[in-house]
Amino acid sequence: HIFWAIEVCFTLGTRSGPSELLSLKWENIDFKKKEVLIYGRKPKDFRTVPISDFFAGRLREKMQKAKTDYVIEYKG
């Protein structure tokens, strides 16, 4: 899961840790618009990050196997 967390962090430009990366949920991903809404704790607002077709496919693969509502699953 560490490799996946690093891939998501660098691709989306999120802050690592619970502020952005670990709080990212599947509901924040719009596959039709190919966008991810990321809630930034410092500006306390959402920002939209576009995603490529390739990364959208990677997200879909991971979402099908997900056991929680979070993109990065940890602590079990």
Side-chain angles (χ1 to χ4, degrees):
H1 72 278
I2 299 295
F3 179 78
W4 174 240
I6 292 170
E7 182 178 351
V8 173
C9 187
F10 284 124
T11 303
L12 299 179
T14 63
R15 289 178 176 86
S16 61
S19 65
E20 289 185 5
L21 180 63
L22 300 180
S23 65
L24 186 62
K25 292 187 175 187
W26 294 112
E27 66 190 36
N28 298 114
I29 300 170
D30 187 337
F31 289 103
K32 289 182 183 179
K33 292 182 180 179
K34 293 187 181 123
E35 298 177 336
V36 178
L37 287 175
I38 298 172
Y39 182 75
R41 298 264 163 93
K42 296 232 177 186
K44 294 189 179 190
D45 198 8
F46 281 96
R47 70 179 186 277
T48 304
V49 177
I51 55 174
S52 67
D53 291 334
F54 174 78
F55 193 65
R58 293 274 294 141
L59 287 167
R60 279 193 185 99
E61 289 173 14
K62 294 290 186 175
M63 188 172 70
Q64 290 174 353
K65 298 176 185 177
K67 296 179 182 177
T68 68
D69 294 335
Y70 293 92
V71 175
I72 305 299
E73 298 176 322
Y74 66 102
K75 293 187 179 181

